[in-house]
Amino acid sequence: MAILEPGKFYHVYTQGNNKETVFKEKENYYYFLQLYRKYISPYADTFAYCLLPNHFHLLIRVREEELIMNPDTLGEPRIINLVRQFQHLLNAYAKAINIRYNRTGSLFQERFKRKEITSEAYFTRLVFYIHHNPQHHGLIEDFSDWPYSSYHSILSKGTTVLQRENVLDWFGGRASYKNFHEENAADFTSTMPLLEEDEL
């Protein structure tokens, strides 16, 4: 099984099987994030996310402690494989949705996609791309009105598992972060050359 390597940044994304809707109502989004905090947050830093009705996007960095030992393991320690953690996340969510909506079968594509982030320009544009996704797909007129992304969480001062200060520092502060998103929303095409392979 291929691993997500410690210390590296990745764009992780997938969609519903046959583009099926995976988040049917508000409570689904929040339940997914609850599972995400359980299965992924202990092992990866999250810089941005967006959940949409039939897919999601994440920008993460695998912690160096991924060579860390699983604190729940008794006796001989074992190394955590983050790919397997993502599989646990998606499977746990799918089982809950199947029960809730009386459905059967796979909910997500068989394999989630991941792309290593290898440049500063890619990282910067990816944060914007993830937050802008609902507007890009025509779900809403203004991306900042979408409630299921990290855009407002990064601007707020509430408790979060996001790498808020790192993201704000990267953009040069709250005002610069907000301005970058607003200015680029008017010209989304400038982002696409870096991200064309990331489209679902």
Side-chain angles (χ1 to χ4, degrees):
M1 179 186 296
I3 67 170
L4 293 167
E5 297 184 39
K8 291 188 176 181
F9 291 81
Y10 291 94
H11 179 196
V12 174
Y13 52 109
T14 194
Q15 64 183 357
N17 196 26
N18 296 317
K19 298 185 178 181
E20 179 181 349
T21 297
V22 295
F23 302 110
K24 300 177 184 295
E25 51 188 312
K26 180 169 67 174
E27 66 183 42
N28 300 157
Y29 292 94
Y30 294 128
Y31 184 64
F32 182 88
L33 292 175
Q34 179 182 334
L35 291 175
Y36 183 86
R37 286 191 291 271
K38 174 183 178 180
Y39 288 107
I40 306 301
S41 292
Y43 312 111
D45 296 323
T46 305
F47 294 82
Y49 73 83
C50 189
L51 311 182
L52 298 102
N54 69 356
H55 68 284
F56 65 80
H57 293 272
L58 307 164
L59 194 173
I60 66 168
R61 177 180 60 204
V62 184
R63 292 182 180 171
E64 293 290 355
E65 299 95 317
E66 240 343 83
L67 289 170
I68 70 179
M69 309 303 168
N70 181 358
D72 297 326
T73 301
L74 298 177
E76 201 60 33
R78 66 182 176 86
I79 296 173
I80 296 297
N81 184 322
L82 195 57
V83 171
R84 186 170 287 115
Q85 290 300 111
F86 269 106
Q87 291 172 342
H88 291 330
L89 164 65
L90 299 181
N91 288 338
Y93 180 76
K95 287 178 181 178
I97 292 299
N98 284 351
I99 293 172
R100 172 71 175 81
Y101 298 101
N102 193 30
R103 70 179 299 281
T104 59
S106 300
L107 181 62
F108 291 98
Q109 288 181 328
E110 184 176 351
R111 295 182 181 179
F112 66 88
K113 298 180 180 180
R114 60 269 205 188
K115 183 176 179 181
E116 185 182 351
I117 300 166
T118 56
S119 73
E120 294 182 355
Y122 184 22
F123 181 95
T124 302
R125 291 289 176 174
L126 183 57
V127 172
F128 164 74
Y129 169 80
I130 288 174
H131 291 153
H132 189 268
N133 226 245
Q135 184 175 331
H136 172 54
H137 288 288
L139 298 173
I140 202 165
E141 290 186 5
D142 185 339
F143 73 92
S144 66
D145 290 332
W146 189 252
Y148 312 115
S149 84
S150 54
Y151 176 72
H152 284 294
S153 296
I154 290 172
L155 284 172
S156 77
K157 296 183 179 181
T159 302
T160 182
V161 297
L162 293 168
Q163 296 296 303
R164 173 189 290 143
E165 295 307 318
N166 286 335
V167 174
L168 292 176
D169 288 347
W170 181 266
F171 282 91
R174 280 182 172 79
S176 296
Y177 165 86
K178 189 174 181 179
N179 288 339
F180 184 91
H181 280 73
E182 292 174 350
E183 290 170 1
N184 283 278
D187 184 22
F188 185 73
T189 56
S190 65
T191 299
M192 294 314 298
L194 281 172
L195 298 161
E196 57 187 5
E197 294 180 2
D198 297 21
E199 284 285 271
L200 285 165

